[in-house]
Amino acid sequence: MPQRRLFTLSSLALASGLSFIVAGQAAAETAVKGGTLIYLEQQAHTTLYPPAGGFYPNGGLLNQITDKLTWQNPETLQVEPWIADSWSSNADKTEYTFHIRPGVTFSDGTPLDANAVAKNFDVYGLGDKTRRLPVSEVINNYDRSEVIDAQTVKFCFKKSSPGFLQGTATIGSGLVSLSTLARNFDQLGDARHIIGSGPFVVSDEKLGREVDLVARKGYQWGPKNLTQQGPANLDGIKIIVTPEDSVRIGALLAGQADFIRQVQAYDEKQASEQKFPLYAAPTRGVNDSLSFRPDNPLVAELKVRQALLHATDARQIVDTLFSENYPVATSVIAKSAAGYVDLSASLNYDPARAKTLLDEAGWRPGSDGIREKAGKKLALTIYESLPQPQNKEVLQLIAQQWKQVGVQLTVKAGDAGSKTLDNLDPLKTPLTVSEVGRADPDVIKSMFYPLNRDALLQKGGSSSKVQQFRDDKLNALLVNISTEIDPAKRLQLAGEAQRYLLDNAYVIPVFEEPQVFAGAPWLKGLRFEAVGRPSFYGAWLEKR
């Protein structure tokens, strides 16, 4: 059995090392053909419309059944050929031309040619309100496509779009057949409706419980720089939704599963002790954080938000609940993210300062210890985020920390029926859990821009409930990141955005969130794309 491999991700070099070691292992041994991999997933996928693939169960499935125009090398973060053989752009990044690899087909036999690529990005870049298909958050300023010939397509943008090339390598840009594009959003939750060109094809699904994939026999167009070429090694993959953490780890260690996602920190030790490799794949984006909704009068004042930032002890949270795979956040984005700046000096835990700030803001302790002002208590509500690791426990610990400075935080269940609507109402949810992965500076815009994820709930964004709050200076910074064509200036703008978000205490970063998986010792050739989703294309099962 192979030696234990436990990866920490506190730097880009170490994060890159994960991909290198796994790839090196695969190259050193001869792959075994055949077998079905049993993969236990914590949650069921919700939709397989590629631009909504950011939810990890969605992306983990899309990564097996769709291909992308380009491939972002997880070791170097360079964009390399995949379905596109080559590409070029004009100087101001308002036009990109891609030359499509010949002979590629979707699993229904239809061609993946320039026309299909153009149709995909017209939908992803513009959305389709009649079918409820939202615009992709990785595509900015999209105007139109032009099919030059059968294998050449040009994309035109209203403004410079320097992040578009990297965007073509993300889960949100997985290519699907024209019949899939013709469906409405509600139909795209059924995996059997997703026709991609990837190395695996959906053969069956029990909605909410299981998805079965089989290898596509004629597959010949993986990323050009991968060692693996031709069809996948595995015969298939069985993805089984297994919500209970103890059941997933127990099944893996008992040899009943080959791979599991969302290994909780408290289960890491027993996996490593039994020589089951752990994979802490980086997400390289906005850290696991709390974001304020300043339209709520309780958190509208800067001093209140600053107080709560300094009342949060991220080190205690990590030391209590997590392992070395979860570095304490030192900025809005992870150390391995593009444009990261170290702002740890702005994130120091200082309860005395927090109390002083609350006093200055006019919030005085009441008879029960909870601060009051003008007859109102400083009592806040937040919903648990089920995709985030141990999020309920994280929020409960934060609630204990805040209580020490006189602030009440009520944590509501993540599966509550009222959650979706309440999260769009700043009066009901003055805080939300935020995190998003992408190896490009545009990830900051994706999280906070009102027309993207709108974590702060700004006027003109995703919620009609917002009455006043809008920060045009922040929004201008975010737009500038997405349009600046000078790479150095773009990274500088990303740094300015991080500083601005913390200077205004809009967000409380807690830890850098990896995706922690565990595999059986007999699972070989596993890879991860640039933000932590597994790829089973080159994976194989050693005979036992």
Side-chain angles (χ1 to χ4, degrees):
M1 289 189 176
Q3 291 185 338
R4 170 177 177 254
R5 299 182 302 257
L6 180 60
F7 302 97
T8 59
L9 303 164
S10 58
S11 71
L12 181 57
L14 287 177
S16 301
L18 181 148
S19 301
F20 176 79
I21 290 170
V22 174
Q25 170 201 10
E29 301 179 77
T30 302
V32 174
K33 299 288 186 179
T36 297
L37 181 140
I38 306 299
Y39 174 24
L40 304 187
E41 167 60 73
Q42 185 200 36
Q43 296 173 273
H45 70 269
T46 54
T47 177
L48 296 174
Y49 174 58
F55 181 45
Y56 278 87
N58 299 354
L61 182 48
L62 283 166
N63 209 35
Q64 319 313 321
I65 63 177
T66 66
D67 297 322
K68 292 87 180 170
L69 271 182
T70 60
W71 182 65
Q72 188 172 24
N73 188 315
E75 298 166 29
T76 65
L77 300 187
Q78 294 301 305
V79 176
E80 300 178 1
W82 192 350
I83 296 303
D85 274 325
S86 61
W87 53 85
S88 60
S89 64
N90 62 356
D92 63 2
K93 305 296 183 186
T94 58
E95 293 182 356
Y96 290 81
T97 302
F98 291 85
H99 301 283
I100 309 304
R101 195 168 173 168
V104 181
T105 59
F106 293 106
S107 60
D108 62 0
T110 58
L112 200 174
D113 55 10
N115 179 61
V117 171
K119 291 288 199 305
N120 270 258
F121 281 92
D122 283 348
V123 172
Y124 299 167
L126 300 172
D128 187 324
K129 289 184 178 179
T130 61
R131 288 179 288 129
R132 299 183 56 245
L133 300 175
V135 173
S136 171
E137 67 183 3
V138 303
I139 302 175
N140 294 295
N141 312 314
Y142 190 83
D143 185 17
R144 69 188 189 280
S145 65
E146 294 179 10
V147 176
I148 307 301
D149 58 43
Q151 302 305 132
T152 310
V153 60
K154 178 193 286 187
F155 297 111
C156 303
F157 296 82
K158 298 171 186 174
K159 298 178 183 177
S160 298
S161 192
F164 178 68
L165 178 61
Q166 188 274 342
T168 65
T170 68
I171 288 292
S173 298
L175 300 167
V176 295
S177 70
L178 299 185
S179 63
T180 300
L181 281 178
R183 294 184 180 274
N184 62 47
F185 188 84
D186 296 333
Q187 294 175 307
L188 297 178
D190 189 329
R192 293 166 294 189
H193 291 162
I194 311 301
I195 306 298
S197 62
F200 294 93
V201 179
V202 176
S203 61
D204 196 15
E205 178 177 17
K206 298 179 179 66
L207 284 171
R209 293 185 291 150
E210 182 180 312
V211 180
D212 294 328
L213 307 180
V214 295
R216 188 173 173 194
K217 290 183 170 56
Y219 188 80
Q220 295 290 340
W221 42 80
K224 288 203 166 183
N225 292 338
L226 284 188
T227 309
Q228 175 75 19
Q229 294 294 316
N233 299 315
L234 297 166
D235 288 335
I237 304 166
K238 185 179 285 291
I239 303 172
I240 303 172
V241 178
T242 313
E244 289 293 328
D245 298 333
S246 60
V247 174
R248 291 197 308 282
I249 191 73
L252 178 71
L253 299 180
Q256 297 168 344
D258 305 301
F259 190 67
I260 63 174
R261 189 182 76 86
Q262 198 80 312
V263 179
Q264 302 297 358
Y266 49 76
D267 283 328
E268 289 183 11
K269 184 178 180 182
Q270 59 174 320
S272 59
E273 284 179 346
Q274 297 188 45
K275 303 294 191 290
F276 280 68
L278 291 170
Y279 305 88
T283 53
R284 295 191 173 101
V286 174
N287 288 322
D288 199 299
S289 312
L290 303 187
S291 290
F292 288 102
R293 275 71 187 276
D295 205 58
N296 184 305
L298 295 178
V299 296
E301 189 170 350
L302 174 59
K303 286 185 177 181
V304 172
R305 300 195 302 272
Q306 289 175 327
L308 294 174
L309 186 154
H310 293 298
T312 304
D313 188 350
R315 169 54 64 190
Q316 183 192 38
I317 293 166
V318 169
D319 287 349
T320 303
L321 297 174
F322 296 106
S323 70
E324 61 183 353
N325 290 317
Y326 299 79
V328 171
T330 54
S331 187
V332 176
I333 60 177
K335 289 188 180 78
S336 57
Y340 162 84
V341 290
D342 185 350
L343 299 175
S344 51
S346 301
L347 296 172
N348 58 311
Y349 173 58
D350 190 343
R353 183 180 177 191
K355 290 178 181 178
T356 299
L357 286 164
L358 290 169
D359 288 340
E360 292 174 356
W363 291 94
R364 305 295 179 185
S367 58
D368 59 356
I370 303 303
R371 291 176 181 262
E372 299 177 353
K373 180 180 177 181
K376 290 186 177 180
K377 287 187 175 294
L378 192 46
L380 310 175
T381 299
I382 191 168
Y383 278 93
E384 171 196 5
S385 177
L386 294 176
Q388 271 53 64
Q390 296 196 80
N391 188 246
K392 181 179 179 180
E393 291 78 10
V394 168
L395 296 177
Q396 288 174 337
L397 188 47
I398 291 173
Q400 292 175 26
Q401 294 171 353
W402 288 7
K403 190 175 182 181
Q404 302 304 308
V405 301
V407 179
Q408 178 180 314
L409 179 64
T410 299
V411 180
K412 291 194 171 184
D415 55 358
S418 57
K419 177 182 177 180
T420 301
L421 289 177
D422 284 359
N423 256 335
L424 291 172
D425 188 341
L427 295 182
K428 293 182 178 179
T429 53
L431 294 135
T432 191
V433 177
S434 52
E435 187 274 342
V436 61
R438 184 183 174 189
D440 187 89
D442 277 359
V443 72
I444 308 173
K445 177 177 181 285
S446 292
M447 188 81 261
F448 298 104
Y449 193 63
L451 297 182
N452 294 140
R453 297 197 180 203
D454 195 21
L456 307 178
L457 287 187
Q458 297 195 51
K459 191 171 184 179
S462 58
S463 172
S464 61
K465 300 283 188 180
V466 179
Q467 298 299 309
Q468 295 182 345
F469 174 70
R470 185 174 175 91
D471 190 326
D472 288 325
K473 185 175 180 180
L474 170 64
N475 296 336
L477 260 177
L478 299 175
V479 169
N480 288 342
I481 291 171
S482 73
T483 57
E484 175 56 62
I485 60 175
D486 183 296
K489 288 182 181 177
R490 192 162 176 247
L491 295 179
Q492 181 181 345
L493 287 167
E496 289 178 23
Q498 292 164 71
R499 291 187 185 90
Y500 189 86
L501 286 160
L502 291 187
D503 286 347
N504 287 277
Y506 283 147
V507 60
I508 304 175
V510 182
F511 60 89
E512 297 184 16
E513 181 179 318
Q515 285 294 297
V516 181
F517 303 84
W522 52 85
L523 172 60
K524 307 296 182 73
L526 180 68
R527 294 177 184 270
F528 295 86
E529 46 95 68
V531 292
R533 297 174 186 87
S535 170
F536 300 114
Y537 172 43
W540 52 279
L541 297 170
E542 188 176 59
K543 289 185 178 179
R544 297 189 276 156

